[in-house]
Amino acid sequence: MLTSAPLRQRRILAFLEGREFLRSSELAGRLGVTPMTVWRDLVAMEERGVVRRSRGRVARADVRVVEPDYSSKADHAAAAKARIAAYVARHIIREGDSLAMDGGTTVGALAREGLPAGLTILTNSVHTASAFLGHPSRPAVSACGGLLREQSGTFIGREALAFFGRRRASSYLLSATGADAGAGVTDLTLEDNEVKQAMAASAKEVVLLADASKFGEVSLLQVLPWRRIHRIVTDASRSVLDKIARKHTHLVVHRV
């Protein structure tokens, strides 16, 4: 019997791999849990845009599931990412800030910008940490440690979660593979997303850095709902952003 909801939900996605659909009743038997437990899992997964339910059946949603390597992501929309990073450096970051920064390539682009003095950078990313080596502003960089994922160059697991649980940041600069009006901010990997959520919990505010190509995309798992995001910095069109801002009036949108 699987008592962990995240583990059950990962197992459900594995069962659905290569299948058109499964019956909800079949999932209860496979997982060794009650139909009500499966129902709760599927409702949560549908809310995140991961699966679709219909007449006792469940199918995977049409989501992006292939994880590109870091260099491939860095080359995509590079000019837009540079503009976003430049804006954040000039208008969001302040002297003495403590910044939680994940392994996103838009976040990493900040290392090529002039930055205020006295910064502390907290990260789970080998790429982000190494990008700030020799930076003229001399930020203090702390990496969390843990189990290193080769594909993303990020640390995951208990050590990473404990690291951010013990620290407080001025802002969390968040990256993602999808940003959708309904599904919220989404990304590919459960373990990475757990660390992203710990980084968000450690910060006074969460700032999403996302180029226009990320909007309207739904990746595999929700990182955060829009109510947990405070600012968006993006080059997305006003019409796309208005769909989100109308529903979530607390959001401050910075369009570059």
Side-chain angles (χ1 to χ4, degrees):
M1 178 178 178
L2 295 175
T3 58
S4 165
L7 183 57
R8 284 195 308 271
Q9 292 169 22
R10 288 182 66 193
R11 191 70 59 82
I12 289 169
L13 290 173
F15 291 153
L16 288 168
E17 187 69 39
R19 301 282 298 271
E20 184 178 353
F21 66 86
L22 283 172
R23 294 191 179 280
S24 303
S25 56
E26 182 181 350
L27 287 172
R30 289 191 178 206
L31 295 168
V33 296
T34 66
M36 181 56 70
T37 298
V38 170
W39 180 82
R40 285 195 294 265
D41 284 336
L42 294 178
V43 168
M45 295 170 74
E46 189 172 46
E47 287 176 350
R48 299 200 306 268
V50 176
V51 300
R52 300 189 308 274
R53 296 182 301 141
S54 177
R55 299 181 180 179
R57 297 176 176 183
V58 59
R60 289 180 73 121
D62 182 17
V63 296
R64 179 180 294 176
V65 296
V66 178
E67 181 178 7
D69 61 28
Y70 187 87
S71 59
S72 298
K73 290 188 287 187
D75 291 340
H76 175 72
K81 291 173 181 179
R83 291 197 301 274
I84 292 167
Y87 185 95
V88 171
R90 294 185 187 118
H91 302 288
I92 304 294
I93 299 174
R94 298 288 180 262
E95 183 174 347
D97 276 353
S98 176
L99 303 171
M101 301 174 67
D102 62 28
T105 54
T106 311
V107 172
L110 280 162
R112 297 190 290 273
E113 300 297 326
L115 295 171
L119 297 180
T120 297
I121 294 172
L122 310 171
T123 186
N124 70 326
S125 169
V126 170
H127 298 294
T128 299
S130 62
F132 285 94
L133 287 174
H135 193 279
S137 68
R138 300 290 184 184
V141 180
S142 293
C144 62
L147 178 64
L148 181 63
R149 289 190 69 240
E150 183 175 354
Q151 186 73 5
S152 61
T154 52
F155 292 106
I156 59 173
R158 290 183 180 179
E159 289 182 52
L161 295 172
F163 177 92
F164 290 105
R166 293 191 300 265
R167 287 164 173 79
R168 294 293 175 266
S170 308
S171 299
Y172 169 33
L173 305 182
L174 164 68
S175 66
T177 56
D180 178 77
V185 179
T186 57
D187 217 319
L188 289 165
T189 309
L190 176 65
E191 293 87 353
D192 267 328
N193 288 355
E194 288 175 340
V195 180
K196 287 173 179 278
Q197 289 159 3
M199 297 168 89
S202 76
K204 291 181 181 177
E205 72 168 7
V206 178
V207 184
L208 174 65
L209 281 57
D211 67 79
S213 69
K214 306 297 175 58
F215 285 83
E217 294 288 338
V218 179
S219 195
L220 191 59
L221 297 166
Q222 186 183 74
V223 183
L224 294 171
W226 287 115
R227 67 176 182 276
R228 296 286 308 282
I229 309 296
H230 299 88
R231 299 176 186 268
I232 303 172
V233 185
T234 184
D235 65 331
S237 68
R238 294 187 187 280
S239 60
V240 168
L241 296 171
D242 284 347
K243 291 179 183 179
I244 298 170
R246 280 197 297 268
K247 292 183 178 179
H248 306 282
T249 57
H250 70 285
L251 280 168
V252 178
V253 177
H254 306 264
R255 188 169 175 271
V256 301

